[in-house]
Amino acid sequence: MTNHLHMQLLDGKFLSAQIKQEIAAEVAAIREQGGKIPHLVAILVGSNGASETYVASKMKNCEEVGMKSTLIRFDPSVSEAELLDKVREVNENADMDGLIVQLPLPDHISADKVMETINPAKDVDGFHPINIGRMAKGLPAYISATPQGVLEMIKRYDIKTAGKHCVVVGRSQIVGLPMSILMQRNTYPGNCTVTITHSRTQNLAEICRSADILVAALGKSEFITADMVKEGAVVIDVGLERVPDTSKKSGFSLKGDVKFDEVAPKTSFITPVPGGVGLMTICSLMQNTLKAARREIY
């Protein structure tokens, strides 16, 4: 790699607009043939600001591509039993294809129990142990929306992955863990040598510097700095944190896990925040809902 690289932005805005057009065309074709319109259901407990924003955006995107969407709201005081009953009710409803329960949930409700109660065939978030297990075995499965969005990005920008060293920073079940499994599978994107790092990793900077593809998913704003990235690396920033900012009307600005301004010049490809992976996540969710309506996986 030379130092005269032209950094290219992995533009989530452009890609998501393209994918949404593709999904809208497919939904329109289903409608013309008198088929069943894909229907996504979201359950929201309480009124966490970020969760409200995410769910509203998911519903709005469904509408834009012609899908049906239903939002079911509960007070934060809802009992675990009542929430699980609602999940089972959606499982039984043949008109409802995909179900997401927005995390985080209040402390008195076990997220694991909720995820395990969702019918794997409707688990468009890809969090059910059956879907995670199928993904790990390379069987058809719903892949958790953010990692799937990252794969889609890699594919559409034709980034080479075979034989590359991919370092994943963060081991969450939602991003880090599935990402590490997907990047080593014998397929494209994949065939990487994968190192997964986390808060207990020693000499983290050194490991990051050895990455051809660096996936930052640790939820710490601007943690990855230029000295942690090698020339010509592909940097994928999954972070999205609200950082207080008095110059903004909202009182905050959105930052990723990567210190973009200083890292970008060293990279061959990098995702911006906002406008990167986040938009791809919502597209993946709609792609999964379309697959659910078509019974493609189960």
Side-chain angles (χ1 to χ4, degrees), residues 15-228:
L15 284 188
S16 66
Q18 199 178 26
I19 294 168
K20 273 166 37 179
Q21 278 181 334
E22 292 164 13
I23 296 172
E26 294 195 43
V27 174
I30 293 172
R31 184 172 268 120
E32 265 168 39
Q33 288 151 17
K36 186 195 157 316
I37 300 301
H39 185 178
L40 177 67
V41 179
I43 295 180
L44 180 61
V45 180
S47 53
N48 167 319
S51 294
E52 288 273 359
T53 309
Y54 288 144
V55 171
S57 168
K58 288 166 185 174
M59 300 285 113
K60 183 172 146 282
N61 276 278
C62 279
E63 212 167 287
E64 284 172 10
V65 298
M67 286 185 183
K68 261 170 88 171
S69 67
T70 300
L71 174 57
I72 299 169
R73 286 177 175 273
F74 284 106
D75 277 340
S77 60
V78 65
S79 71
E80 186 178 85
E82 195 184 337
L83 182 60
L84 293 177
D85 281 345
K86 179 54 81 175
V87 168
R88 290 186 194 101
E89 194 185 303
V90 175
N91 285 345
E92 296 301 308
N93 186 328
D95 181 56
M96 296 174 166
D97 302 302
L99 169 61
I100 57 172
V101 178
Q102 186 63 41
L103 302 176
L105 291 166
D107 292 341
H108 66 280
I109 297 174
S110 156
D112 281 337
K113 235 183 219 171
V114 173
M115 294 307 143
E116 286 174 30
T117 304
I118 296 173
N119 176 351
K122 295 192 178 192
D123 167 41
V124 288
D125 252 338
F127 294 160
H128 193 288
I130 287 178
N131 278 315
I132 294 170
R134 288 176 66 109
M135 173 199 69
K137 280 185 65 81
L139 296 168
Y142 292 114
I143 292 167
S144 141
T146 300
Q148 184 175 300
V150 172
L151 293 185
E152 193 73 40
M153 225 170 203
I154 289 173
K155 224 185 278 180
R156 291 189 184 231
Y157 275 92
D158 199 23
I159 293 168
K160 305 282 173 274
T161 58
K164 303 289 187 196
H165 183 203
C166 173
V167 174
V168 180
V169 188
R171 54 178 164 187
S172 77
Q173 289 185 19
I174 294 174
V175 183
L177 176 72
M179 206 66 238
S180 67
I181 294 170
L182 293 162
M183 290 303 276
Q184 54 81 33
R185 292 195 306 182
N186 182 14
T187 176
Y188 175 75
N191 281 313
C192 288
T193 300
V194 179
T195 304
I196 188 159
T197 65
H198 43 77
S199 56
R200 303 290 173 84
T201 301
Q202 298 186 342
N203 56 14
L204 178 64
E206 199 182 314
I207 295 170
C208 289
R209 270 197 300 278
S210 70
D212 301 305
I213 300 170
L214 182 64
V215 180
L218 71 167
K220 281 191 183 164
S221 113
E222 302 195 319
F223 180 87
I224 304 285
T225 48
D227 60 327
M228 297 169 78

Side-chain angles (χ1 to χ4, degrees), residues 141 170 237:
D237 188 350

Side-chain angles (χ1 to χ4, degrees), residues 1-8 231-232 264-268:
M1 291 279 182
T2 64
N3 290 340
H4 313 295
L5 282 162
H6 294 296
M7 178 271 290
Q8 196 177 349
E231 282 293 338
K266 293 184 82 170
T267 64
S268 54

